[in-house]
Amino acid sequence: MTTRKKKTASQRPSHFVGIGASAGGLEAIEAFFKNMPPRSNLAFIVVQHLSPDYKSLMVELLSKKTEMPVHRAEDGMEVLADNVYLIPPKKNLTIFHGKLVLNDKGSTQGINLPIDIFLRSLAEDQAERTIAIILSGTGSDGTRGVRAIKELGGMVMVQSEESAKFDGMPRAAISTGVADYVLPPEKMPEQLLAYVAHPYVSGERQSDLLLQDADALTRLFAELRDKTRVDFTHYKPSTITRRIERRMSVNQIGDFENYVEYLQRYPGEVQALYRDLLIGVTSFFRDPEAMQELEEKWLTGLLRRISDREIRFWVAGCSTGEEAYTLAIMAKEAMERHGLSRVIKVFATDIDRDAIMTASSGVYPESIAGDLTPKIVAKYFYHKEEKLQIARHLREMVVFAQHNLIKDPPFTNIDLISCRNLLIYLQPVLQQKVFDMFNFSLNPDGLLFLGSSESIGEMGDCFEALHQKHKIYRSLGKARSMHYDIQVRSREERRRPAPGFDVRGRDRRQAESDAGRIIRQYLQVAGEHYLPPSVIVNERLEIVHFFGDMQGYFRIPAGPAEYNITRMASGEMAIPLATGIQKVFRTGETLSYTNIRLRQNDEERAIRIRIWPMPEARGYEPLAAVFFEQMDRPPVALFDEGVSFNAGEEASQRIRDLEQELQFARENLQATIEELETSNEELQATNEELLASNEELQSTNEELQSTNEELYTV
């Protein structure tokens, strides 16, 4: 059925607005459209929870509140601007190429979530031209849909909880953290029109303009790194600019320079942009065909092959944990089906601390049941208030941790790595680094599971494709070195466009990659034939890299594996290395020790140690280079001769330093003890006051009891 106030010209809408509502939603929908102008070049699709047993009068009721034509959706109906479309009863609604598609509700599919179904299809069909609005209702329908809208560049509005007749759906949508605006329905139209009128949203201004302001981009990246400890410089420009434009549109800021200033003034906006940049949509058993292929053909084989040790999975970029729990469920089901018993540990990591906290709790909205079979829900979940929680035996299989895939060390001895739809946001230089880490982490014949739009790039010599369509690969067990250069840029260079945002980025990145390869090859040759044995260490005295043959200079100590240079050093080198490296980091000046005695192959010989601070790069920890030279060789001209090492003097100096540190620690400990004693006295006094109050109350109680008895006698 269709009611029309007046004829409208057929035109394609600038944006598609999906509105989800349930109980109490009629009032909110009427309030929204009562304040929405009839000419906005937007199309509105309303998805309500309707009773299948009664005829819906929504078309007639809503037509009285708006001048826009109101339609009951029909299969194949084209969505036009300045029109309203309503879902009919007993149907699920999706959209494909701008046309509505109706499907019958399945009677055996369990919980039905029409709002999620429509919003997810809308996100896939229209991407950044989508707007999701969640109004009053019970339950959590729409929660997954708004995340899909946000991931693909759309905007999300949610009715404020206090204005909603039933706040279940708004509260669930707000809890996802993706809502751009939380408003009462009558105030939404004004904000909606302001958003779509923004130059970046309407298309009046091109995205490339952001890339041309290199100085503002540098300041924005620096602010993000300072507040979040994450460097987004080498993320894909298209992703970065799209997210920045969205935040500028939400805040109604038209100039990029002004937005950077706004970002610097308001730390909350830094966190909002950070969340937008990290937004990741995940779900249980996402991409079912790929999951089925992995479980039936490759995961089962892995479980059969490994029986004498713990099997280790790593889910990199796990977001809120759905994929990690999915792998755990798949492993459980495969073991049960084939009568196997294995110890499995799933390591799930993400850079987003809030996402990790959500994942660790294992609590999800009831709407996740739409992605699961009733059997899986009954077996691995239990109801907790209005939500579903992962069963304890499954949670114990998964270990969640905050982890920066680019900077932090990788996990080791891994049998399966799942990293899906994360690499597409990184530039090739970071993708290569991640693949090198995965190659290092995986055991031979270990499995690598990527997203449908990702590939292994230039790592074909390390991985064998098992299923090209579903991106399942096997590690060939080939070792590759992981070298990454730290480049120091001058002030003038910093003012140039950031490397990842050069319009000739691909050629430039290729040149940088070739240059890095040449430098690594050169260092390998120089280290073997000319340079003395050397190491690079950090301020914690940890060895970061070895160059040349270190035999005789270092040994592997017993106990847990560690790279502390003082523990690994042979002979008398521990003391000069510890004191020298600390002095170099403290003063920033080079240092040289000579005449250090070292026994090698039953022969004692003298060596020279050179310690040189390396050029610092902003955002990276300070490093120092340590060179070891035999005294019978002429010294390298870059250094002076150095001071002769006297073990007694250096040991005495080391002892004095340690005594000073010990004295400082004792003073701190004494101060802490005094504070604890003071706190203990205060607690004792408080306890005595409570005891006195208790006695008074007891006395009062006795008096009341006596009075009560007297009254009873009277």
Side-chain angles (χ1 to χ4, degrees):
M1 177 179 177
T2 302
T3 65
R4 294 182 181 272
K5 300 292 182 181
K6 58 179 72 175
K7 293 282 185 180
T8 58
S10 174
Q11 58 179 332
R12 183 174 176 80
S14 64
H15 288 77
F16 293 72
V17 183
I19 302 175
S22 183
L26 178 58
E27 294 178 13
I29 292 171
E30 289 180 344
F32 175 85
F33 281 105
K34 187 177 180 180
N35 291 275
M36 189 72 207
R39 299 289 176 268
S40 61
N41 203 30
L42 304 175
F44 302 88
I45 304 97
V46 180
V47 180
Q48 262 192 303
H49 292 176
L50 300 174
S51 170
D53 302 321
Y54 299 95
K55 179 183 178 181
S56 173
L57 299 176
M58 270 296 294
V59 172
E60 292 81 357
L61 294 172
L62 195 54
S63 296
K64 298 176 182 179
K65 303 296 180 181
T66 178
E67 295 182 18
M68 287 184 282
V70 181
H71 314 266
R72 182 173 288 115
E74 298 177 4
D75 196 37
M77 180 178 282
E78 184 179 2
V79 177
L80 305 178
D82 302 321
N83 281 254
V84 182
Y85 302 86
L86 305 179
I87 187 173
K90 303 180 184 179
K91 298 288 184 180
N92 281 330
L93 183 65
T94 57
I95 188 169
F96 183 73
H97 291 176
K99 294 184 178 181
L100 300 176
V101 179
L102 292 177
N103 296 290
D104 293 329
K105 289 184 179 179
S107 57
T108 60
Q109 66 181 14
I111 186 171
N112 185 62
L113 303 165
I115 301 172
D116 273 333
I117 291 171
F118 176 73
L119 291 181
R120 290 169 86 170
S121 75
L122 181 63
E124 293 172 1
D125 193 59
Q126 299 297 328
E128 70 275 2
R129 298 172 62 229
T130 58
I131 295 167
I133 298 178
I134 300 297
L135 300 176
S136 173
T138 59
S140 57
D141 194 7
T143 303
R144 295 178 301 158
V146 296
R147 289 179 65 91
I149 292 285
K150 190 66 173 286
E151 180 196 26
L152 293 175
M155 188 266 280
V156 176
M157 276 186 167
V158 181
Q159 182 175 0
S160 57
E161 294 181 48
E162 59 272 13
S163 69
K165 198 169 184 179
F166 295 90
D167 64 0
M169 279 171 42
R171 186 173 64 251
I174 293 170
S175 70
T176 63
V178 302
D180 295 301
Y181 303 101
V182 179
L183 300 166
E186 61 272 13
K187 293 186 178 180
M188 288 182 174
E190 180 182 0
Q191 190 63 65
L192 177 61
L193 293 174
Y195 171 80
V196 297
H198 191 277
Y200 283 122
V201 177
S202 63
E204 294 178 10
R205 191 172 298 174
Q206 295 182 353
S207 303
D208 293 343
L209 295 176
L210 288 184
L211 307 183
Q212 297 174 10
D213 194 343
D215 185 60
L217 268 176
T218 301
R219 287 191 288 119
L220 182 140
F221 287 142
E223 193 71 20
L224 279 169
R225 186 173 61 190
D226 182 55
K227 296 294 191 302
T228 68
R229 302 298 179 190
V230 179
D231 188 354
F232 289 96
T233 304
H234 290 289
Y235 280 55
K236 282 193 175 175
S238 58
T239 301
I240 295 291
T241 54
R242 191 164 60 244
R243 300 291 196 247
I244 293 173
E245 288 168 5
R246 225 190 55 75
R247 290 306 307 169
M248 291 174 64
S249 305
V250 167
N251 289 288
Q252 293 297 295
I253 299 174
D255 182 72
F256 183 42
E257 183 73 31
N258 292 340
Y259 176 70
V260 175
E261 293 176 1
Y262 178 79
L263 192 83
Q264 292 172 327
R265 287 199 307 269
Y266 298 99
E269 180 59 24
V270 177
Q271 294 301 320
L273 177 59
Y274 176 66
R275 287 194 301 270
D276 267 19
L277 291 170
L278 294 183
I279 188 68
V281 172
T282 183
S283 60
F284 287 92
F285 293 91
R286 189 181 189 187
D287 196 354
E289 290 184 8
M291 290 291 181
Q292 185 177 3
E293 173 74 19
L294 177 68
E295 179 182 353
E296 294 181 355
K297 291 192 177 180
W298 310 109
L299 182 58
T300 301
L302 186 149
L303 296 174
R304 289 183 183 278
R305 177 167 53 84
I306 304 172
S307 59
D308 56 345
R309 60 173 175 82
E310 179 183 76
I311 299 175
R312 295 155 64 93
F313 298 167
W314 178 16
V315 181
C318 67
S319 189
T320 46
E322 287 91 332
E323 186 175 338
Y325 289 125
T326 296
L327 282 179
I329 291 172
M330 289 165 57
K332 283 266 192 183
E333 291 292 297
M335 287 191 293
E336 181 180 313
R337 190 162 51 249
H338 297 283
L340 302 174
S341 178
R342 301 287 186 267
V343 178
I344 296 176
K345 186 63 68 178
V346 181
F347 300 97
T349 62
D350 198 277
I351 199 172
D352 187 349
R353 183 176 179 275
D354 293 337
I356 288 296
M357 296 296 290
T358 299
S360 300
S361 69
V363 178
Y364 298 97
E366 281 186 317
S367 60
I368 64 168
D371 294 323
L372 304 166
T373 64
K375 177 185 174 183
I376 293 294
V377 173
K379 199 170 182 180
Y380 298 104
F381 295 82
Y382 65 88
H383 286 273
K384 183 178 182 180
E385 297 175 352
E386 295 182 354
K387 297 185 177 182
L388 290 173
Q389 182 163 26
I390 300 287
R392 182 174 180 178
H393 67 90
L394 197 68
R395 291 206 312 273
E396 290 175 346
M397 290 177 60
V398 187
V399 177
F400 291 97
Q402 188 177 10
H403 180 272
N404 188 330
L405 191 59
I406 308 304
K407 293 174 60 178
D408 295 335
F411 291 83
T412 56
N413 298 321
I414 301 297
D415 300 296
L416 185 152
I417 293 178
S418 176
C419 182
R420 312 191 70 218
N421 304 312
L422 183 152
L423 297 171
I424 55 176
Y425 298 114
L426 306 180
Q427 292 187 39
V429 62
L430 291 188
Q431 290 181 1
Q432 183 64 40
K433 181 175 183 179
V434 170
F435 280 129
D436 279 340
M437 288 185 174
F438 288 167
N439 182 57
F440 173 81
S441 296
L442 280 170
N443 291 322
D445 295 325
L447 301 177
L448 176 63
F449 189 28
L450 302 179
S452 58
S453 301
E454 297 165 334
S455 65
I456 56 173
E458 299 178 359
M459 296 291 288
D461 59 331
C462 295
F463 295 97
E464 172 194 1
L466 300 179
H467 198 291
Q468 196 65 47
K469 178 183 176 182
H470 296 312
K471 308 299 181 181
I472 303 173
Y473 302 89
R474 175 191 286 133
S475 171
L476 299 178
K478 292 185 178 180
R480 282 172 56 125
S481 59
M482 295 192 298
H483 301 280
Y484 297 97
D485 304 320
I486 299 175
Q487 299 182 359
V488 184
R489 302 172 69 200
S490 66
R491 181 175 298 177
E492 291 74 17
E493 288 174 320
R494 292 193 195 104
R495 293 186 177 276
R496 299 172 191 165
F501 292 83
D502 196 326
V503 292
R504 297 165 297 176
R506 181 173 297 180
D507 295 338
R508 192 176 190 280
R509 289 191 296 269
Q510 183 63 42
E512 288 178 350
S513 177
D514 292 342
R517 177 178 52 80
I518 293 170
I519 291 172
R520 289 194 294 271
Q521 291 174 339
Y522 167 78
L523 286 175
Q524 183 177 355
V525 173
E528 291 177 356
H529 301 289
Y530 177 75
L531 291 177
S534 55
V535 296
I536 295 175
V537 296
N538 58 25
E539 286 184 300
R540 298 183 299 277
L541 303 182
E542 295 171 340
I543 298 175
V544 177
H545 202 104
F546 294 95
F547 293 96
D549 183 7
M550 307 306 301
Q551 186 175 1
Y553 294 98
F554 292 100
R555 57 184 175 80
I556 300 177
E562 61 175 314
Y563 286 93
N564 187 289
I565 193 170
T566 59
R567 292 206 61 195
M568 297 182 68
S570 300
E572 295 182 1
M573 292 199 304
I575 292 177
L577 285 173
T579 56
I581 292 171
Q582 290 176 347
K583 185 175 181 180
V584 166
F585 279 121
R586 187 170 60 251
T587 64
E589 299 177 355
T590 59
L591 185 65
S592 176
Y593 288 123
T594 61
N595 202 33
I596 298 174
R597 316 308 297 180
L598 185 66
R599 179 170 292 277
Q600 290 181 335
N601 300 326
D602 297 328
E603 294 182 4
E604 188 176 87
R605 55 194 178 90
I607 65 168
R608 179 187 296 110
I609 294 180
R610 317 278 196 179
I611 308 173
W612 203 354
M614 297 182 66
E616 291 191 10
R618 185 178 178 183
Y620 295 91
E621 63 179 348
L623 300 172
V626 183
F627 297 88
F628 304 92
E629 303 173 8
Q630 296 184 24
M631 290 290 288
D632 55 354
R633 296 180 181 177
V636 179
L638 291 174
F639 299 94
D640 56 23
E641 279 298 312
V643 296
S644 178
F645 174 72
N646 185 309
E649 290 181 4
E650 293 298 331
S652 298
Q653 180 61 41
R654 180 65 174 159
I655 290 171
R656 285 194 294 272
D657 292 341
L658 292 173
E659 286 177 344
Q660 187 176 0
E661 292 178 10
L662 179 60
Q663 180 63 27
F664 181 71
R666 283 174 174 168
E667 292 173 358
N668 281 342
L669 180 60
Q670 182 62 33
T672 303
I673 291 172
E674 292 173 359
E675 290 176 4
L676 287 173
E677 288 176 347
T678 302
S679 300
N680 189 43
E681 292 172 0
E682 293 174 355
L683 289 171
Q684 183 68 26
T686 303
N687 186 46
E688 292 172 358
E689 292 173 2
L690 289 172
L691 288 173
S693 299
N694 187 46
E695 292 172 358
E696 291 175 4
L697 289 171
Q698 183 67 28
S699 176
T700 303
N701 187 45
E702 292 173 357
E703 292 175 3
L704 288 172
Q705 182 68 25
S706 176
T707 303
N708 187 43
E709 291 175 356
E710 291 175 3
L711 289 171
Y712 183 76
T713 303
V714 173

